Amino acid sequence: MKKGLKIATIGGGSSYTPELVEGFIKRYNELPVKELWLVDIEEGKEKLEIVGDLAKRMVEKAGIPIDIYLTLDREEALKEADFVTTQFRVGLLDARAKDERIPLKYGVIGQETNGPGGLFKALRTIPVILDICREMERLCPNAWLINFTNPAGMVTEAVLRYSNIEKVVGLCNVPIGMEMGIAKLLSVEHSRVRIDFAGLNHMVYGLDVYLDGISVKDKVIDLLTDPRNSSFVKNIQGLGWEPAFLKALNALPCPYHMYYYKTRDMLEKDLKNAETEGTRAEVVQKLEKELFELYKDPNLNVKPPQLEKRGGAYYSDAAVRLITSIYTDKRDIQPVNTRNNGAIASIPDDSAVEVSCVITKDGPKPMAMGDLPVAVRGLVQQIKSFEKVAIEAAVTGDYNTALLALIINPLVPSDTVAKQILDEMLEAHKQYLPQFFKKISV
Amino acid sequence: MKKGLKIATIGGGSSYTPELVEGFIKRYNELPVKELWLVDIEEGKEKLEIVGDLAKRMVEKAGIPIDIYLTLDREEALKEADFVTTQFRVGLLDARAKDERIPLKYGVIGQETNGPGGLFKALRTIPVILDICREMERLCPNAWLINFTNPAGMVTEAVLRYSNIEKVVGLCNVPIGMEMGIAKLLSVEHSRVRIDFAGLNHMVYGLDVYLDGISVKDKVIDLLTDPRNSSFVKNIQGLGWEPAFLKALNALPCPYHMYYYKTRDMLEKDLKNAETEGTRAEVVQKLEKELFELYKDPNLNVKPPQLEKRGGAYYSDAAVRLITSIYTDKRDIQPVNTRNNGAIASIPDDSAVEVSCVITKDGPKPMAMGDLPVAVRGLVQQIKSFEKVAIEAAVTGDYNTALLALIINPLVPSDTVAKQILDEMLEAHKQYLPQFFKKISV
Amino acid sequence: MKKGLKIATIGGGSSYTPELVEGFIKRYNELPVKELWLVDIEEGKEKLEIVGDLAKRMVEKAGIPIDIYLTLDREEALKEADFVTTQFRVGLLDARAKDERIPLKYGVIGQETNGPGGLFKALRTIPVILDICREMERLCPNAWLINFTNPAGMVTEAVLRYSNIEKVVGLCNVPIGMEMGIAKLLSVEHSRVRIDFAGLNHMVYGLDVYLDGISVKDKVIDLLTDPRNSSFVKNIQGLGWEPAFLKALNALPCPYHMYYYKTRDMLEKDLKNAETEGTRAEVVQKLEKELFELYKDPNLNVKPPQLEKRGGAYYSDAAVRLITSIYTDKRDIQPVNTRNNGAIASIPDDSAVEVSCVITKDGPKPMAMGDLPVAVRGLVQQIKSFEKVAIEAAVTGDYNTALLALIINPLVPSDTVAKQILDEMLEAHKQYLPQFFKKISV
Amino acid sequence: MKKGLKIATIGGGSSYTPELVEGFIKRYNELPVKELWLVDIEEGKEKLEIVGDLAKRMVEKAGIPIDIYLTLDREEALKEADFVTTQFRVGLLDARAKDERIPLKYGVIGQETNGPGGLFKALRTIPVILDICREMERLCPNAWLINFTNPAGMVTEAVLRYSNIEKVVGLCNVPIGMEMGIAKLLSVEHSRVRIDFAGLNHMVYGLDVYLDGISVKDKVIDLLTDPRNSSFVKNIQGLGWEPAFLKALNALPCPYHMYYYKTRDMLEKDLKNAETEGTRAEVVQKLEKELFELYKDPNLNVKPPQLEKRGGAYYSDAAVRLITSIYTDKRDIQPVNTRNNGAIASIPDDSAVEVSCVITKDGPKPMAMGDLPVAVRGLVQQIKSFEKVAIEAAVTGDYNTALLALIINPLVPSDTVAKQILDEMLEAHKQYLPQFFKKISV
């Protein structure tokens, strides 16, 4: 077996990179990374250097022989890579801030993955990821593409359906966060808890929960709806749920379900935040500025604890755990975004789903989940419809298709409002959406 | 073949009855009705007599030997009936007014079929229809149950899944209204236009439109989005659609889709109406009062033209046309609510769908429609999920299940609001919802 | 509506043509055929002239203004045709005789549609039909292709999946023959009987039987298994079935099912026939010779009754009835081979199935049949697997794929025997299978 | 976690028991068995004592504190058991000999699992297993039923569909044998090879083969078809396959596929064996006699190597490995018979399939395999149809249903022959088939 892996990280200048590096250091014994290529674009050069220097200090401190390379040349980074990870953000946080603020002007939640904001993130991101795929076909056709870039579900499906790269996995920290939260609620080690996950990215349900392999779903639902746990639950679930709802649902929603089952409350919260502390993108921008100030400190040679507030907690663990399981053919169970292949009934076989999988060297193998509970089947199908139409819009640059995606999104209250949002957002993101404008400019 | 049919009409005192009678008169040559039993409950006795007397005058005027019977004894009416039609309204229009007004207090559309109002209509109606089915099993096991009572889709599915009556069809005037509207738009006879309908009751799409058997869908969509037709379109479609939306959808929505694709506009309209002319139920109450005044006129011996404003236009034609096609094994194509049987992919075989069917003496045989277009698959699935959970709540009287139905309804903006509406509406409709209260009273 | 249709009949020199002409004459009032182009290949020129002259005498006698054209130029015939019918036989009856005789040498039934013979018929026919489709795309893109050429199911699926012609229907006289046989058994007019057909070509089941729209399946099965009807049943069903089998099956098999449910008996019969009167192809060759002698008679100006023995009884009626229903948008129910579109569960949507359809101007619309009875699901799936692999072999000319098709055929008793048959038959049909040999010759 | 497990083994007097005991001894560290109850019926008392005494000597020799109990009282054995294993044989090997011999008289392969013999084994076994399930519901409702009794697939489905026991797994040594054979062919350790299994019991395919997690399917097929390996392959596969067949199939058949893809050869082989050495049952009877002679030796205190010839090699490993993985929530991948739950498309969710599963304390979780390759879909469906009809016959005792099962079996050449076999076998097994005879005796 080839020793000494090459990892290419697109968007290497991200503030998340120290987590990733920490992960590679921790698992070095199992996962012998030889080269880590952090690649970014011209606009990200300064950040890349700051975070790259920290990464170098981290591996030096750890005494691990991983070589860190910083580059703006994506092709050089991809060449013969074993794993490609993507954590880039087309248009940076400024674009995300627009994804959030523009819909709010029309009284609509932005939501950067499955909402109107997510549509625009998809429109900006999918053409870039498909470019990367074409380069991978040429430069590292056997590499695995591990995508953290949101909207992770749509990106994964776009790669599966519109590129020749089959070795792609979409990764999200929501499911692992749910498992860890439930473990805390049960006061047990995370490793003793396992959830059967099924659904879509940011629309995933825990169909069952096991403690030491025995179902404890009823107990967990009781705990989640016990008023004595309310502050704890709000912490992991956001606003908390109506107890009778959770009992009737008989499954665990994820925090993002708040957008769909508590739309009015979330809208109010988003509007209030936008007026006070700023949207999530704006808060993160401030956090990032502070983080990069920290990262500059030449004495810092470990991941600073402040990074956890950034929101991507466990990403490091999730990503490196996944890469390690693929590399070592570990056959452990992890929830990832992958080709459905019949695991979830009513979703096409070739669609991406987020589902508990056995991770092998041949990739994730989803566990058959059968039919989703009747009460959740509709919403999951609706978001999948949205995703599929949004992907088509991203690939074709067709105005009407983009409008259709917005209108069928459950957060959008009317076709007329959809058109207003679409027109304003297309204009606002114009520079990142050449597929929608090139025809006009001709 | 047995000559001289017995028809039993539950809710015979309805203001619609003259339409039905007119239909039987018109088609007497094909459909030899011998006895028409109009049955109602004690509270409806006066109306039953008024409308029954008019019916008698109508057949007499027409010179057709149909015997009209008025009765409060349902069993007598059902005994050996050939067709049972249902057009009753549990709690009368007062209940519908509450279905509309209470949600509006919480900023939520009531919508009497697929919205919160529809849930309550289902909770009140389904136990009664299942009672009727049990009587039919005993008194007229070979009769066809032709249900006009809303929510027609849920009622049909409840009968299919919770009774032993298999000969049931749910009927709605929306599809026939769409066909007639399109015919008008094309300036041709209705008989030359045929639409491939697929979806659910009040959630049905025209997947294709044919003129003389040739698809004219593109032309129809052009006409529907042509500003020169806007006033006409608003008349058949309500508020009118964004042209780009219809083009991208590439299918014809039904007027009820306004609630889902123009939620905000419809809510505003409903709120304004509630403040001014009253909710639809309240408007209809006034109309009905006027109609019954007309009906009392002993000189009236035909269906008065004012009835058309009542909203159920074409019901007469649709219902009697359906009964005639069944009776004569006509094998013509009609859109009705029936067992899916695979006609629409992703919907369970044993669910009710609204779909173009060939009508035979053995009942409606749905035409295979394959997969719905991806853009509509989600919303249809979501309403089907709502319907299934709502039916379960109606049958079990389980509070949590009813709450779940409300929360997963796309018109309801949060679990907390759902609970408030549920609690107020359960109380308001208490007398018609014994299944929810009997346990408490014990 | 355009008056005066152009029909192009590929294989116009067939002995069946007088039936077709008779059909056009009979239905001239509904189906105003202006031009009938009989097209054949050089080797069929003599027959074409004989049968063409008879056709001319027939229309003249009938006093109907249909112009008959005889040509060897397929393109001329196809140009602007409204309907293209195909009844050609690549390699003529000599090839069919080999399809039957060669497998028998190895103790295997030939069976010219779903057996080893059918595989070779498909290998010879499919490339030709796809050529015709390419010409149609160019010369008559709006024409309907009505295919009688066997194996009709595979040919239809090949057109659906490997050409751009979507307007294709495969036609077989088996279902109509079953309906007429059952009508006779019930001593009623054919028009009063309707069967719900579902399955594949020559593998179709009657799932239910209606008399005047009322199910009489149980009665029909009783009649079919009543010893007093045995001679009659053998006539329509071949050898007759075990009564307990039919009762448990609870559906009507077609005569071709004898090959699968009575394999041993059919093999014995085929072997015996081959030794005595000759295989079916050889018998038909003699019949055809006699028919053409008759056709030559310049005084003959109607379809001679002897044609019925030829085996294709009702084809005329079935074909012209189908064309008439399409042309007039008749919306009557006919069993044809068409795109499944979900009508039969477990069969892919884009596969051809033989199923009861409503015939519209937009083509056949299959009626949703749901799941096949569990007992027949397996055999149908197995023949569909065979068909799909056989079609792939026909299109690719791949030896291994052709071998696989033979091995998975239920009539073939081993992979080794399959290889022997394949090798001998490839050689025997070499001139008609360029796709298998061109690579070697290069 | 409860320490000290109770295992109940129905059919404990089987010659296989020493393997099972060896398995428990080997894995004692992980699987702390406290009590092993061997239960048998009166007729098996002598064997039970012989094998039970050997079992006692084995644990004593191993120095492991497992208590061995011998009993004829099934209820006592089941009471509070943690795992119930079944390895009984209704009618003993005499019945199997009839299953094999009677069909051969009619020129038909008996085949004790998916052939006519398998039908009769199912008819005898399923009522007994359902009795055991009813006792388990009462005496050990939380126990796992690990069934080795053939036909393991049908038995598993019968339990899933006709009992309240959900914790059931069917086990077969064929898949593990295939993996071990392939490992040998590749000259590597078994643990490095993994096969994606999908299909039915004794009708399972290897869809892909991995060495260290990397697909080596093409290489394995090359090796299997390399003439230099032919003697080795015959050893693991029986007669060997046509190379072109395996290449086109592009999947690994199991040895039992010989019956379907080499029917004629297998029939000849079976006929010849029946004339010379006896049928397999008769050979095994002799082997068993010898084994029991060995077992009687009071000095024997380990599993004797001669047992491997018995045919059930690896059963011990497979069974105890499975129990251990369930008990320890090991989450490793094993091929077992379990509820499909969507893992294999076109097979109903509630049917038993044989498929690679992750084994958890909550039972086997099948990995989603999507659609089977088109070439195998038909045969798998056909055997599943046979299984379902056979199970229905076993439960209802209906003659016609049993006949239908036989006729749709691919090994049976005609309905008439099926009836002859059925009648003779029903009579031969009369004493074990009360469900077919009780009605007559009344």
Side-chain angles (χ1 to χ4, degrees), chain D residues 70 112 240:
Chain D
L70 314 184
E112 74 147 350

Side-chain angles (χ1 to χ4, degrees), chain C residues 359-430:
Chain C
I359 310 298
T360 77
K361 201 176 190 77
D362 193 55
K365 308 280 179 177
M367 290 155 72
M369 294 292 166
D371 252 325
L372 293 174
V374 64
V376 314
R377 223 179 279 163
L379 184 58
V380 169
Q381 191 75 50
Q382 199 175 16
I383 292 296
K384 178 46 77 186
S385 287
F386 164 71
E387 287 188 354
K388 289 180 95 78
V389 177
I391 293 166
E392 197 194 324
V395 170
T396 61
D398 182 62
Y399 178 91
N400 290 359
T401 306
L403 180 63
L404 182 62
L406 260 189
I407 293 172
I408 66 176
N409 189 284
L411 299 180
V412 176
S414 94
D415 59 348
T416 311
V417 170
K419 191 166 190 312
Q420 292 165 338
I421 294 175
L422 180 65
D423 289 339
E424 182 166 347
M425 288 183 82
L426 277 177
E427 196 55 38
H429 291 302
K430 195 169 182 171

Side-chain angles (χ1 to χ4, degrees), chain C residues 70-117:
Chain C
L70 312 184
T71 182
L72 303 185
D73 179 347
R74 197 162 70 192
E75 302 215 350
E76 191 188 20
L78 290 176
K79 202 170 170 197
E80 291 177 30
D82 296 289
F83 290 88
V84 178
T85 72
T86 48
Q87 55 186 48
F88 61 87
R89 195 180 274 282
V90 179
L92 306 176
L93 283 164
D94 284 344
R96 176 173 171 184
K98 290 176 188 166
D99 288 345
E100 292 168 343
R101 283 231 170 247
I102 294 173
L104 280 179
K105 285 170 59 178
Y106 300 92
V108 177
I109 292 172
Q111 224 274 57
E112 74 147 351
T113 45
N114 297 332

Side-chain angles (χ1 to χ4, degrees), chain C residues 43-276:
Chain C
E43 295 90 313
K45 195 179 172 188
E46 196 198 332
K47 283 187 178 178
L48 177 65
E49 281 167 1
I50 296 168
V51 85
D53 286 345
L54 170 56
K56 288 173 182 171
R57 295 192 302 271
M58 286 172 73
V59 298
E60 192 180 12
K61 162 77 162 41
I64 297 286
I66 298 178
D67 298 323
I68 310 280
Y69 296 84
L70 312 184
T71 182
L72 303 185
D73 179 347
R74 197 162 70 192
E75 302 215 350
E76 191 188 20
L78 290 176
K79 202 170 170 197
E80 291 177 30
D82 296 289
F83 290 88
V84 178
T85 72
T86 48
Q87 55 186 48
F88 61 87
R89 195 180 274 282
V90 179
L92 306 176
L93 283 164
D94 284 344
R96 176 173 171 184
K98 290 176 188 166
D99 288 345
E100 292 168 343
R101 283 231 170 247
I102 294 173
L104 280 179
K105 285 170 59 178
Y106 300 92
V108 177
I109 292 172
Q111 224 274 57
E112 74 147 351
T113 45
N114 297 332
L119 168 64
F120 275 84
K121 199 154 179 17
L123 298 182
R124 296 192 304 271
T125 305
I126 286 172
V128 176
I129 204 93
L130 294 178
D131 274 350
I132 293 171
C133 287
R134 277 182 290 270
E135 291 174 15
M136 288 178 64
E137 290 169 29
R138 201 161 30 85
L139 299 166
C140 54
N142 294 316
W144 277 95
L145 174 57
I146 311 293
N147 177 65
F148 314 172
T149 294
N150 270 333
M154 283 195 255
V155 166
T156 305
E157 179 153 343
V159 171
L160 286 171
R161 297 181 56 219
Y162 293 98
S163 88
N164 296 316
I165 296 297
E166 290 179 10
K167 292 168 129 182
V168 58
V169 191
L171 197 64
C172 181
N173 65 345
V174 164
I176 197 176
M178 287 168 72
E179 269 187 5
M180 292 177 77
I182 299 298
K184 228 174 196 165
L185 195 64
L186 292 165
S187 309
V188 302
E189 289 288 302
H190 175 200
S191 63
R192 293 176 59 194
V193 171
R194 189 176 75 73
I195 298 181
D196 274 340
F197 288 105
L200 309 178
N201 183 232
H202 287 191
M203 173 61 62
V204 74
Y205 293 86
L207 300 187
D208 210 336
V209 193
Y210 305 93
L211 175 61
D212 298 324
I214 309 271
S215 175
V216 290
K217 183 168 67 170
D218 293 344
K219 187 184 168 189
V220 166
I221 288 176
D222 282 348
L223 287 171
L224 285 170
T225 55
D226 185 329
R228 285 169 295 182
N229 294 319
S230 74
S231 69
F232 176 83
V233 168
K234 272 179 196 159
N235 206 35
I236 62 164
Q237 294 280 7
L239 296 164
W241 300 105
E242 288 293 337
F245 167 55
L246 272 202
K247 281 177 184 167
L249 188 65
N250 197 25
L252 307 184
C254 78
Y256 279 80
H257 280 112
M258 294 274 162
Y259 289 108
Y260 306 97
Y261 295 132
K262 297 185 100 63
T263 314
R264 190 180 285 176
D265 316 63
M266 292 301 277
L267 175 60
E268 277 166 23
K269 197 176 141 190
D270 279 8
L271 282 167
K272 200 181 140 204
N273 286 346
E275 276 176 33
T276 54

Side-chain angles (χ1 to χ4, degrees), chain A residues 106-107 241-242 244-245 248 261-265 374-375 378 382 385 400 403-404 407-408 413-416 419, chain B residues 106-107 241-242 244-245 248 261-265 374-375 378 382 385 388 400 403-404 407-408 413-416 419:
Chain A
Y106 299 92
W241 299 107
E242 287 293 338
F245 167 54
Y261 295 132
K262 298 184 99 65
T263 313
R264 189 180 286 177
D265 316 62
V374 64
Q382 200 177 16
S385 286
N400 290 359
L403 180 64
L404 183 61
I407 294 172
I408 66 176
S414 93
D415 61 345
T416 312
K419 191 165 190 313
Chain B
Y106 300 92
W241 299 107
E242 288 293 336
F245 167 54
Y261 295 133
K262 297 185 99 65
T263 313
R264 190 179 286 177
D265 316 64
V374 63
Q382 200 176 15
S385 286
K388 289 180 94 77
N400 289 359
L403 179 63
L404 182 62
I407 294 173
I408 66 177
S414 92
D415 60 347
T416 311
K419 192 166 189 314

Side-chain angles (χ1 to χ4, degrees), chain B residues 151-181:
Chain B
M154 283 195 256
V155 166
T156 305
E157 180 153 341
V159 171
L160 286 171
R161 297 181 56 220
Y162 293 97
S163 87
N164 295 316
I165 295 298
E166 290 179 10
K167 292 169 128 181
V168 58
V169 191
L171 197 63
C172 181
N173 66 343
V174 163
I176 198 175
M178 287 170 71
E179 267 187 7
M180 292 177 78

Side-chain angles (χ1 to χ4, degrees), chain A residues 264, chain B residues 96-112 115-117 259 263-276 278-282 411-413 417 420-421 424-425:
Chain A
R264 189 180 286 177
Chain B
R96 176 172 173 184
K98 290 176 189 166
D99 288 346
E100 292 168 343
R101 282 228 171 249
I102 295 173
L104 281 180
K105 285 170 59 179
Y106 300 92
V108 177
I109 292 172
Q111 225 274 59
E112 75 147 349
Y259 289 108
T263 313
R264 190 179 286 177
D265 316 64
M266 291 301 277
L267 176 60
E268 278 166 22
K269 200 176 139 190
D270 279 8
L271 282 166
K272 201 181 139 204
N273 286 346
E275 276 178 31
T276 54
T279 68
R280 180 72 192 152
E282 291 156 0
L411 300 180
V412 176
V417 170
Q420 292 165 337
I421 294 175
E424 182 166 347
M425 287 183 84

Side-chain angles (χ1 to χ4, degrees), chain A residues 46-333:
Chain A
E46 195 198 332
K47 282 187 177 177
L48 177 65
E49 281 168 3
I50 295 169
V51 84
D53 286 346
L54 170 56
K56 287 173 182 173
R57 295 192 302 272
M58 286 173 73
V59 296
E60 192 180 11
K61 163 74 162 45
I64 297 288
I66 298 178
D67 297 324
I68 309 281
Y69 297 83
L70 312 184
T71 183
L72 303 185
D73 180 345
R74 198 162 71 192
E75 301 214 351
E76 191 188 19
L78 290 176
K79 202 171 172 197
E80 291 176 32
D82 295 288
F83 290 88
V84 178
T85 72
T86 48
Q87 55 186 50
F88 62 87
R89 193 182 274 284
V90 178
L92 306 177
L93 284 164
D94 284 346
R96 176 172 172 185
K98 290 175 188 165
D99 288 346
E100 292 168 342
R101 283 228 170 250
I102 295 173
L104 280 180
K105 285 169 59 178
Y106 299 92
V108 177
I109 292 173
Q111 224 274 57
E112 74 148 348
T113 45
N114 296 332
L119 169 64
F120 275 84
K121 198 154 178 15
L123 297 182
R124 296 192 304 270
T125 305
I126 286 172
V128 176
I129 204 91
L130 293 178
D131 273 351
I132 293 171
C133 288
R134 278 183 288 271
E135 290 174 16
M136 286 179 65
E137 289 169 29
R138 203 161 28 87
L139 299 166
C140 53
N142 294 315
W144 278 95
L145 173 58
I146 311 292
N147 177 66
F148 313 172
T149 294
N150 270 332
M154 282 195 257
V155 166
T156 304
E157 180 153 341
V159 171
L160 286 171
R161 297 183 54 220
Y162 293 98
S163 87
N164 295 315
I165 295 297
E166 289 178 11
K167 292 168 127 182
V168 57
V169 192
L171 198 62
C172 181
N173 66 344
V174 162
I176 198 176
M178 287 169 73
E179 267 188 5
M180 292 177 78
I182 299 297
K184 230 174 195 164
L185 195 65
L186 292 165
S187 308
V188 302
E189 290 287 302
H190 175 199
S191 63
R192 293 176 59 193
V193 171
R194 188 175 76 72
I195 298 181
D196 273 341
F197 287 105
L200 308 178
N201 182 232
H202 287 190
M203 174 59 62
V204 74
Y205 293 85
L207 299 187
D208 210 335
V209 193
Y210 305 93
L211 175 61
D212 299 324
I214 308 272
S215 174
V216 291
K217 183 168 68 170
D218 293 345
K219 187 184 167 188
V220 164
I221 288 176
D222 282 347
L223 286 171
L224 285 169
T225 55
D226 185 330
R228 285 169 296 182
N229 294 320
S230 75
S231 68
F232 175 83
V233 168
K234 273 178 195 159
N235 206 33
I236 61 165
Q237 294 281 7
L239 297 164
W241 299 107
E242 287 293 338
F245 167 54
L246 272 202
K247 280 176 186 171
L249 188 64
N250 198 24
L252 306 183
C254 78
Y256 279 79
H257 280 112
M258 294 275 163
Y259 289 108
Y260 306 97
Y261 295 132
K262 298 184 99 65
T263 313
R264 189 180 286 177
D265 316 62
M266 292 301 277
L267 176 60
E268 278 165 23
K269 199 175 139 188
D270 279 8
L271 282 167
K272 199 181 140 204
N273 286 346
E275 275 178 32
T276 54
E277 63 189 17
T279 69
R280 180 71 194 154
E282 291 156 0
V283 170
V284 167
Q285 278 177 318
K286 279 175 229 150
L287 278 172
E288 288 227 330
K289 222 171 259 174
E290 292 162 24
L291 279 174
F292 276 93
E293 283 312 307
L294 281 174
Y295 290 177
K296 282 180 187 165
D297 176 359
N299 296 316
L300 181 75
N301 55 15
V302 293
K303 187 189 80 178
Q306 292 89 333
L307 179 48
E308 299 223 342
K309 277 200 286 184
R310 170 66 184 82
Y314 321 133
Y315 253 126
S316 153
D317 199 49
V320 184
R321 190 168 70 133
L322 173 63
I323 293 172
T324 306
S325 291
I326 291 175
Y327 177 68
T328 62
D329 194 35
K330 190 172 280 180
R331 307 180 193 177
D332 56 345
I333 299 174

